[in-house]
Amino acid sequence: MEPYELTLAGAAEKIKAKELSPVELTASVLARIDAVEDKITAFATLTPDLATKAAARAEEEIAAGNYRGPLHGIPVGIKDLYETAGVATTSSSKVRANYIPAQDSAVVEMLFAAGSVMVGKTHTHEFAFGAVTPTTRNPWDLDRMPGGSSGGSGAAVAAGECFLGMGSDTGGSIRIPASVCGTVGLKPTYGRVSRRGVASLSWSLDHVGPLTRTVADAALVMNAIAGYDRADPASVDVPVPDFTATLDVAGLTIGVPTNYYTDRVDPQVASAVSAAIAVLVEQGARTREIEIPLPQYVLPTEWAIMLPEASAYHQEMLRDKADLYTEDVRLFLEVGELVLATDYIKALRARTLIQQRWRDMFADIDVLIAPTLTTPALPVHDPKVTWPDGSIESATDSYVRFSAPANVTGLPALSVPCGFTGLGLPVGMQIIGKPFAEPLLLGVGQAYESATNWAKLAPLP
């Protein structure tokens, strides 16, 4: 096994034991990038020189007895929305092609404080406004989409180009690429992780979080990046637990939806998730059928909030540099300017009602488990779904439909690989919990992961 093939947790153990040096690990990852990046194009900017220097510094610190923890010397990729001092942060857009921040975003500060080694900035759908990431390909099938908007992070982690890819999630943009690329993706509770220094798509729906190869890896990352930040108005001052604590799922009640997540879903996806729930039941969990409240309002509320908030953020740039935006993103931003203030206010009120009804729903269950997405990865050259009833759904609409509820409610949601289709495409299971219940979600995910082999599989030779 090459070093880049290790999990983050596995690499950290070897570094701590001085069986593997950060320099060796980083060299292995950079060689992997050289071997596969031309096929995947996961990175907007590569920083091999900075990575090599950071790895050498980490090696010196560890040799001197100054081991900082599990992320020390670990190569990571940072979504190109996160500001990085002295390194271009373009949001994968010509609009910010020359933007070089003077300081790091909050999460990047924490990752660097933990000793992480940045190998580059990963591609996003322009300004995170889309679920496709057209620059990037899916490592499991190069003719398939990697999802988005954190498609670069999802593809890079899956292909072994980094151990962690930081993402952002406004309508599912961490969980979508996690599901179609066969990685783990965690959208924390709204306010759990600071968004300071991350370009906004929709400030009242934005979340930031990790994409990793395993649930245990995601837990290690959360230990490093979670916490209150007074500079982020959405940040919530709540205790930060140990996210790596394991969990016995015996006695937990799993909510199984009888509506919404059962509507227009690929049968292979539904079957894989049902089989995954059965694995947890074998470990002692029990199930309860749950009706998702107010399903008809979820997507209208998501879009009625996201469109005008995004347009407000981009208003000045749209006036000055409209021709530099890609056509699809510019259209979304122009449409957002047409949303009435009264409709936006109604959507905010609808969100409050949805949040209340979901809180009531969780009174009888510990977690809700459903498919992360309606389908596996869609073809790059045919980005739509035709359902048996003849209805046609775009890639964005299809991908966002099952992920949006956790954004509207602000609840934590974890996507975990749970199988493959007949074409060898990954399928993701989504575990949703109560506010700030990330340790529970991670525990359930790790219990499932430990009983299956999906996390051990990797794409590309």
Side-chain angles (χ1 to χ4, degrees):
M1 175 182 284
E2 295 295 325
Y4 76 82
E5 296 178 275
L6 295 165
T7 64
L8 189 159
E13 290 177 2
K14 288 183 175 294
I15 288 175
K16 183 178 181 180
K18 299 182 180 178
E19 297 173 1
L20 176 67
S21 79
V23 171
E24 293 170 332
L25 184 63
T26 300
S28 178
V29 168
L30 292 176
R32 178 63 172 172
I33 290 173
D34 286 342
V36 302
E37 177 60 11
D38 63 333
K39 303 179 184 70
I40 298 172
T41 321
F43 287 91
T45 302
L46 287 166
T47 55
D49 292 341
L50 292 176
T52 300
K53 292 177 182 177
R57 185 164 58 250
E59 184 169 302
E60 292 173 1
E61 290 172 348
I62 293 168
N66 298 319
Y67 179 65
R68 302 190 197 181
L71 298 188
H72 205 172
I74 298 295
V76 304
I78 307 296
K79 187 174 181 177
D80 205 25
L81 297 181
Y82 289 70
E83 294 191 347
T84 43
V87 178
T89 301
T90 71
S91 300
S92 292
S93 175
K94 293 179 181 179
V95 176
R96 283 187 172 166
N98 300 314
Y99 178 51
I100 299 178
Q103 59 187 19
D104 293 322
S105 60
V107 165
V108 171
E109 284 179 1
M110 289 184 277
L111 289 175
F112 286 167
S116 297
V117 174
M118 184 178 72
V119 295
K121 305 294 290 293
T122 56
H123 267 304
T124 172
H125 199 119
E126 185 179 37
F127 284 106
F129 214 157
V132 174
T133 316
T135 50
T136 306
R137 293 295 178 265
N138 192 312
W140 292 95
D141 184 338
L142 297 177
D143 291 324
R144 302 273 172 168
M145 296 175 174
S149 64
S150 308
S153 289
V157 170
E161 296 183 285
C162 57
F163 293 91
L164 158 67
M166 287 305 305
S168 65
D169 193 313
T170 306
S173 293
I174 288 172
R175 291 158 292 148
I176 292 169
S179 183
V180 299
C181 291
T183 71
V184 170
L186 174 63
K187 182 197 78 65
T189 307
Y190 186 74
R192 169 68 92 179
V193 179
S194 176
R195 305 166 308 167
R196 173 169 53 89
V198 181
S200 176
L201 173 55
S202 173
W203 57 81
S204 72
L205 296 169
D206 290 341
H207 305 66
V208 298
L211 292 100
T212 58
R213 296 177 197 172
T214 70
V215 178
D217 292 352
L220 289 173
V221 176
M222 285 297 293
N223 274 353
I225 66 173
Y228 176 64
D229 179 6
R230 62 185 301 174
D232 177 0
S235 186
V236 180
D237 191 2
V238 294
V240 178
D242 178 5
F243 294 95
T244 64
T246 56
L247 173 74
D248 182 355
V249 300
L252 291 182
T253 300
I254 297 170
V256 180
T258 59
N259 65 325
Y260 193 77
Y261 292 100
T262 60
D263 179 34
R264 286 183 299 166
V265 56
D266 186 300
Q268 294 183 85
V269 171
S271 177
V273 173
S274 293
I277 293 172
V279 170
L280 293 169
V281 170
E282 290 174 0
Q283 296 182 36
R286 54 177 177 262
T287 61
R288 178 190 292 269
E289 290 189 342
I290 290 293
E291 182 177 353
I292 300 299
L294 305 175
Q296 71 274 29
Y297 296 115
V298 171
L299 285 180
T301 299
E302 169 80 17
W303 285 105
I305 294 173
M306 180 168 62
L307 285 169
E309 288 189 352
S311 296
Y313 178 82
H314 284 268
Q315 191 171 53
E316 184 176 338
M317 290 185 289
L318 190 61
R319 299 292 184 273
D320 295 340
K321 303 177 180 180
D323 59 319
L324 297 182
Y325 285 91
T326 55
E327 184 177 350
D328 62 326
V329 172
R330 186 175 68 250
L331 178 60
F332 276 135
L333 294 173
E334 290 171 346
V335 169
E337 294 198 334
L338 301 177
V339 177
L340 297 176
T342 50
D343 290 334
Y344 175 67
I345 297 300
K346 289 177 182 177
L348 296 179
R349 294 175 66 187
R351 177 170 61 184
T352 299
L353 183 58
I354 293 169
Q355 290 171 333
Q356 291 171 343
R357 294 289 296 276
W358 272 65
R359 183 176 64 236
D360 294 341
M361 180 185 71
F362 270 98
D364 297 323
I365 60 175
D366 294 298
V367 296
L368 180 77
I369 293 184
T372 303
L373 303 180
T374 63
T375 69
L378 294 171
V380 170
H381 302 297
D382 189 22
K384 65 180 184 298
V385 186
T386 301
W387 296 106
D389 63 3
S391 62
I392 297 176
E393 198 171 31
S394 71
T396 295
D397 288 342
S398 176
Y399 282 161
V400 169
R401 185 149 50 87
F402 284 0
S403 56
N407 295 97
V408 171
T409 59
L411 297 175
L414 174 72
S415 182
V416 179
C418 68
F420 289 82
T421 67
L423 295 176
L425 300 173
V427 174
M429 164 179 70
Q430 184 173 199
I431 309 170
I432 304 174
K434 301 172 185 177
F436 304 103
E438 291 88 358
L440 175 61
L441 270 59
L442 291 163
V444 173
Q446 195 163 357
Y448 171 74
E449 190 176 78
S450 65
T452 59
N453 293 316
W454 307 123
K456 299 176 183 177
L457 304 178
L460 298 179

